[in-house]
Amino acid sequence: MRSFMTAALLSCVALLTGCANLGVEPWERDLLAKPAMALNPDPIQSAYDDHIYFSKEASSGGRSFAGGGCGCN
Amino acid sequence: MQLKKKHKKKAIRGALTTASCTLLGLSNVAQAENAPWQFDAGVLYYSETDRVQAIEPVVTGKKDFGDDRWLNLKLVVDLLTGASPNGATPTNTPQTFTRPSGKGSYTIDANETPLDDTFRDTRVAVSGSWDQPLGDQLKGSFGANFSTEHDFLSLGASASLAYDMNKRNTTLSAGVSFESDTIKPEGGVPTPFASMVPAGSAQPRDASDDTRTLVDLLFGVTQVINRNMVMQVNYGISTSSGYHTDPYKILSVVDGSTGATTDYVYEHRPDSRNKQSLYWQMKYHLTEDIIDLSYRYLWDDWGVTSHTLDATYRWDLGGAKYLEPHVRYYQQSAADFYRVFLIDGAPLPAEASADYRLAEFTGITLGLKYGTQIKGHDTSVRLEYLSQTGDSSPSEAIGVLQDQDLYPDLKALMLQFRYTF
Amino acid sequence: MRSPAKAGERFGSRRRIGSSEKPVTSHASQSINIEHRADYWLGRFQAMASPCEILLEIDDAKLARRLTQLAADEAWRIERSFSRYRDDNIIHRINHSHGQPVQVDVETAQLLDFAYQCYELSEGLFDITSGVLRKIWKFDGSDRVPDAKQVKAMLPHIGLNKARWQAPYFTLPEGMEIDLGGIAKEYAVDRTLLLLQQQSNASMVVNYGGDMHCSGPRANGQPWTVGIEDPSREDHPLRLLQIRHGALATSGDARRYLMKNGKRYSHILNPKTGWPVEHAPRSVTVAGASCTEAGILSTLAMLQGKEAEAFLDAQGVQYWCVR
């Protein structure tokens, strides 16, 4: 399972970087420029979620650094 | 057709020149040096049924120092009260436990999950980062963080780089972070697997404090797919060494045939942990609404593997108002050294913990967020419901334990307010 | 030469009498060419329905081509983003928003801020929502003048004060339209010059159909001599201007009018009344620190009709008025 997942996701990465025709011209960024389209549009909310799930689960990180910084786990 | 002001003509040229300069960004360079701080604040109310309650206000500020250089500062205050499972199993008789300080004890009724209610604390954390361009397509970010509570201190630093290519359609990023934690448990660091002794007697303690360090690496690719869609894939690897045990958690030692509790021992975890994760996220802009989907797969050398699936739908209501339903599905496998209990007389494992957070369980979160603007300031309110369920009747239950709920299900409500100003 | 002083006509300024509005299609000429003159390079391309020229005091052909391409790309970008005739830009989204708020990007926000300031400074004479008047006024030399009822019916759909602008959300009531044609060409001239100045210290002129901005005097201290077409002058269609620094913008009526019952209706419409301005000059050329500023002043001067010269005197700018 683990090696399959790794292979699948790494090939996605390779595919993405290999496709130089993916993407948009600078004037086509109107939708992407919206604040709500940022990958992390609400950092305070993400930090709250990260903190809650870090203290209730055995997993952390992925989107950003995995460290905890608090004594809750 | 009348034209006003037939006689004296107003001189508007000065104002017009200023307006034109603003439009062409000609005075913007001077303005950036005096750009005001932008603040963002939030408060979270977290409440578990019969267990932990927390209030966490947060305030962040950021300031543009011109040329795309930013200083970000954050202050977090975390107020915790309530009770948390101590790792012992419920049983058919009342149970008495010694508090971590060794100076008192508490009694739990029969058939109740043992909860340690000495769990109250205030945590204060500050962090800051400095972002700046390092080259034509390269941006750097450097941060430091500090967190303190009465039994825990954490110091950390991080650095990351982001490189844009393909007309900013592709961004490669890499980051590293270091963290050094000092754990100073109330009453001292318990001896691993030592039996719990009654309050007032000399407690089995090894030291007054212990430490651990973490190093984290994160690599990512962000790719714009088309005008509506952007994707990100991250690979993270993290290694920590030092004290990982929870000094307040114990395990029940039970009789091999009746299942009655004969002893309580302090838990012990390995002194190192290596985690890896793969994370994928996608955002898709429909006509007005936005879909956010992410998946994380995590595995480590403690035997834990987890899947996290997160989906959010931002329903645009027009005029800066939106409604955002949210679903999160989490599933994890148990750590290798997770034990529901230990058997009296059986050889002790090298490590063992009954902490429910290392068990096999599934967590589902359902939430709804409403956002709007008040006087041009973004504000929102979010309500979330988290439910974690594990195996209450695991196959290894013996005797009286077969009638007990051996996994303390968690149900929590979260209310969050946000305001930007 | 550009025509009118009516906010909303700039993109179509080179229309001849009798033609209908033609959308700027994406297959309009997207090529540039460069020519070497005696002591400078001339880059040329077509944008915003005008012949565009970049005059560069350099002697490097490759640089001339690169700078001209940079200028053309920026002009085409502004045209694509702000042309009223396209169906894929923010202007189209705003004009088809049916009264719903539209979130705009930073550049559009800056242009809206500027349009509002001009609206206030001109006490409503410069109004980017006045373009809807073209639906009833078609200046084709005929005698089809709208009647008072038709004009009165249009007035509720004009007035920038009726729109709601709270950055980054712009809300335009149903039935209204905005048209940035009255600012876009001059804005493009100024932005292009700024872009080119980042690439070269040489003296240069950006001239889009008569709206121009010069970066500074030539090496020998001499001014640039720029020729612009002036169809209002039957005898000398080509007018020569000398420019040393700063910007020039011209507003004119390009002989477009309606004639009914012996009365001549000029093509410059007052957005507050819906009727043409009477006794407007044939053309006004204003000098300013930026093309944007000069353009607004020349537009407003035309709208003053008889008082054009008095208005420009009060502003303390250099100008040339032709009646």
Side-chain angles (χ1 to χ4, degrees):
Chain A
M1 175 64 178
R2 182 172 311 162
S3 47
F4 167 74
M5 295 295 319
T6 319
L9 277 161
L10 287 177
S11 52
C12 278
V13 175
L15 203 68
L16 288 179
T17 49
C19 290
N21 57 345
L22 273 180
V24 293
E25 299 296 323
W27 57 84
E28 291 176 302
R29 287 185 165 267
D30 55 335
L31 296 178
L32 298 166
K34 285 189 178 183
M37 273 301 276
L39 287 162
N40 189 11
D42 194 340
I44 289 188
Q45 176 173 298
S46 308
Y48 278 144
D49 281 348
D50 286 348
H51 182 210
I52 291 169
Y53 296 117
F54 171 76
S55 48
K56 299 292 148 198
E57 295 169 352
S59 312
S60 61
R63 188 185 42 78
S64 60
F65 288 122
C70 81
C72 33
N73 197 340
Chain B
M1 173 206 59
Q2 301 287 338
L3 284 175
K4 283 165 66 172
K5 295 240 176 246
K6 288 205 76 173
H7 308 287
K8 250 321 206 38
K9 294 294 170 192
K10 226 163 46 164
I12 58 168
R13 197 201 168 192
L16 190 58
T17 309
T18 310
S20 314
C21 283
T22 308
L23 172 65
L24 297 165
L26 291 170
S27 50
N28 278 355
V29 172
Q31 270 175 17
E33 260 92 72
N34 291 321
W37 283 89
Q38 293 170 33
F39 294 102
D40 205 349
V43 68
L44 175 74
Y45 297 96
Y46 174 86
S47 176
E48 295 168 2
T49 350
D50 300 327
R51 286 157 52 178
V52 169
Q53 258 119 85
I55 295 186
E56 194 171 325
V58 165
V59 66
T60 67
K62 63 180 183 183
K63 183 170 152 83
D64 186 355
F65 283 85
D67 295 327
D68 222 9
R69 296 173 306 156
W70 289 84
L71 177 65
N72 304 285
L73 296 173
K74 178 170 174 175
L75 174 67
V76 179
V77 178
D78 207 346
L79 300 136
L80 240 54
T81 54
S84 188
N86 64 10
T89 62
T91 193
N92 56 348
T93 55
Q95 304 183 72
T96 303
F97 302 95
T98 310
R99 292 191 188 283
S101 63
K103 299 197 188 82
S105 53
Y106 56 100
T107 306
I108 304 294
D109 291 340
N111 305 314
E112 295 266 307
T113 305
L115 302 173
D116 181 350
D117 65 357
T118 48
F119 188 58
R120 87 196 54 242
D121 210 349
T122 303
R123 179 177 79 101
V124 176
V126 292
S127 61
S129 76
W130 174 256
D131 305 335
Q132 77 162 74
L134 296 172
D136 225 11
Q137 330 259 59
L138 194 62
K139 280 201 288 261
S141 177
F142 309 95
N145 50 75
F146 168 76
S147 170
T148 176
E149 54 206 281
H150 92 284
D151 58 0
F152 186 89
L153 180 75
S154 171
L155 274 165
S158 67
S160 63
L161 296 170
Y163 181 71
D164 288 326
M165 15 185 279
N166 284 344
K167 296 183 240 183
R168 289 204 315 122
N169 283 308
T170 310
T171 306
L172 303 176
S173 53
V176 62
S177 99
F178 299 94
E179 186 180 307
S180 169
D181 300 336
T182 305
I183 302 105
K184 220 160 82 132
E186 191 162 324
V189 176
T191 311
F193 296 121
S195 295
M196 182 176 262
V197 304
S201 326
Q203 300 290 313
R205 300 291 187 256
D206 273 356
S208 62
D209 55 59
D210 209 334
T211 60
R212 74 166 169 251
T213 53
L214 284 91
V215 179
D216 232 321
L217 285 166
L218 191 64
F219 301 98
V221 179
T222 307
Q223 175 73 40
V224 172
I225 306 294
N226 58 34
R227 188 172 156 253
N228 300 62
M229 180 158 64
V230 63
M231 252 194 232
Q232 179 180 51
V233 174
N234 286 346
Y235 168 70
I237 179 165
S238 162
T239 175
S240 56
S241 63
Y243 187 73
H244 291 81
T245 304
D246 188 326
Y248 305 130
K249 297 260 188 302
I250 57 180
L251 293 109
S252 295
V253 182
V254 309
D255 181 87
S257 38
T258 63
T261 306
T262 59
D263 197 6
Y264 305 110
V265 297
Y266 293 96
E267 69 156 49
H268 180 56
R269 302 189 196 186
D271 57 12
S272 77
R273 184 178 186 188
N274 294 307
K275 286 193 296 200
Q276 291 175 76
S277 67
L278 281 170
Y279 173 82
W280 168 87
Q281 185 186 4
M282 182 242 3
K283 291 200 83 135
Y284 189 84
H285 196 294
L286 301 164
T287 330
E288 294 294 343
D289 304 334
I290 298 174
I291 299 178
D292 187 332
L293 212 53
S294 71
Y295 171 72
R296 175 188 62 188
Y297 177 65
L298 182 145
W299 68 98
D300 70 1
D301 64 354
W302 281 9
V304 174
T305 56
S306 72
H307 304 271
T308 314
L309 199 57
D310 202 304
T312 307
Y313 187 88
R314 186 184 197 272
W315 178 20
D316 192 82
L317 302 170
K321 299 197 209 315
Y322 62 92
L323 209 55
E324 211 172 77
H326 167 233
V327 159
R328 179 183 186 271
Y329 173 81
Y330 177 82
Q331 203 269 328
Q332 83 172 33
S333 70
D336 294 331
F337 55 87
Y338 172 77
R339 299 276 184 281
V340 185
F341 51 81
L342 292 173
I343 306 228
D344 196 359
L348 270 180
E351 297 103 13
S353 170
D355 190 340
Y356 72 95
R357 296 173 297 192
L358 291 172
E360 181 176 317
F361 67 84
T362 304
I364 299 201
T365 307
L366 291 171
L368 191 61
K369 178 178 179 183
Y370 173 72
T372 180
Q373 267 191 353
I374 297 181
K375 293 202 179 81
H377 295 295
D378 288 330
T379 181
S380 68
V381 60
R382 180 173 84 145
L383 187 65
E384 299 239 303
Y385 176 70
L386 163 64
S387 169
Q388 267 179 5
T389 45
D391 195 351
S392 347
S393 307
S395 49
E396 57 260 42
I398 305 168
V400 296
L401 292 177
Q402 286 172 332
D403 305 320
Q404 299 293 337
D405 178 357
L406 294 176
Y407 184 87
D409 283 354
L410 175 77
K411 290 195 189 342
L413 213 56
M414 292 161 263
L415 183 61
Q416 167 197 299
F417 295 97
R418 295 269 291 102
Y419 188 69
T420 322
F421 55 99
Chain C
M1 176 162 100
R2 295 195 300 68
S3 59
K6 172 171 68 140
E9 288 285 300
R10 296 295 169 88
F11 274 137
S13 60
R14 304 226 81 213
R15 291 200 298 280
R16 310 204 68 83
I17 291 173
S19 72
S20 54
E21 286 182 3
K22 242 190 342 202
V24 175
T25 55
S26 56
H27 46 265
S29 174
Q30 295 254 296
S31 61
I32 63 164
N33 60 21
I34 57 167
E35 291 166 27
H36 192 237
R37 293 293 156 84
D39 50 1
Y40 65 94
W41 279 91
L42 174 66
R44 296 225 280 239
F45 53 90
Q46 190 79 4
M48 295 184 232
S50 304
C52 298
E53 292 182 337
I54 314 288
L55 288 81
L56 301 156
E57 188 169 45
I58 56 176
D59 51 25
D60 177 355
K62 261 179 78 174
L63 181 61
R65 178 162 290 277
R66 192 163 71 81
L67 293 178
T68 307
Q69 188 67 56
L70 210 60
D73 287 341
E74 177 67 359
W76 291 329
R77 180 193 74 81
I78 291 176
E79 183 172 23
R80 257 191 308 264
S81 307
F82 301 111
S83 166
R84 169 160 65 88
Y85 301 104
R86 293 182 71 96
D87 60 2
D88 58 356
N89 60 14
I90 188 70
I91 303 297
H92 186 261
R93 275 176 57 211
I94 290 172
N95 289 343
H96 292 82
S97 59
H98 301 295
Q100 291 302 305
V102 177
Q103 188 175 6
V104 304
D105 57 279
V106 174
E107 191 178 23
T108 308
Q110 287 174 326
L111 286 164
L112 286 172
D113 282 338
F114 184 70
Y116 266 92
Q117 282 171 305
C118 293
Y119 177 78
E120 265 149 56
L121 286 172
S122 66
E123 292 172 355
L125 282 181
F126 184 90
D127 192 334
I128 59 173
T129 62
S130 61
V132 291
L133 285 170
R134 73 176 185 283
K135 294 186 183 162
I136 57 169
W137 287 98
K138 294 190 199 299
F139 293 98
D140 52 7
S142 71
D143 65 349
R144 279 185 294 272
V145 172
D147 60 32
K149 219 163 72 133
Q150 278 176 293
V151 174
K152 204 153 167 231
M154 272 289 153
L155 290 182
H157 299 300
I158 300 172
L160 191 55
N161 55 316
K162 300 186 177 107
R164 203 167 113 82
W165 171 224
Q166 216 185 350
Y169 293 96
F170 183 68
T171 314
L172 191 64
E174 177 94 60
M176 291 179 67
E177 283 179 14
I178 62 161
D179 182 350
L180 292 179
I183 328 176
K185 182 131 72 89
E186 292 84 346
Y187 172 68
V189 167
D190 288 331
R191 272 200 59 111
T192 303
L193 189 68
L194 284 172
L195 269 171
L196 296 183
Q197 281 175 308
Q198 285 172 0
Q199 303 286 324
S200 167
N201 288 329
S203 174
M204 51 182 97
V205 179
V206 175
N207 172 21
Y208 291 173
D211 294 329
M212 65 183 80
H213 195 161
C214 174
S215 68
R218 303 184 60 172
N220 52 9
Q222 294 299 309
W224 289 92
T225 304
V226 183
I228 61 174
E229 268 187 57
D230 186 352
S232 75
R233 297 171 55 163
E234 291 97 345
D235 47 350
H236 298 292
L238 190 69
R239 191 146 64 107
L240 289 180
L241 290 174
Q242 292 203 318
I243 184 168
R244 206 179 246 101
H245 63 86
L248 287 178
T250 306
S251 278
D253 69 359
R255 290 184 293 154
R256 294 171 63 239
Y257 59 92
L258 290 173
M259 195 75 146
K260 183 169 179 176
N261 300 333
K263 188 165 179 190
R264 184 188 171 112
Y265 293 83
S266 94
H267 154 218
I268 294 94
L269 295 169
N270 182 329
K272 291 167 38 161
T273 64
W275 288 94
V277 170
E278 285 183 11
H279 310 297
R282 298 296 295 279
S283 87
V284 173
T285 301
V286 177
S290 70
C291 204
T292 311
E293 180 195 324
I296 302 288
L297 286 173
S298 67
T299 302
L300 291 176
M302 292 291 279
L303 283 163
Q304 303 292 324
K306 248 196 324 215
E307 312 281 318
E309 289 88 344
F311 169 77
L312 290 169
D313 283 331
Q315 307 315 319
V317 291
Q318 234 192 338
Y319 66 91
W320 299 266
C321 223
V322 175
R323 287 210 175 259

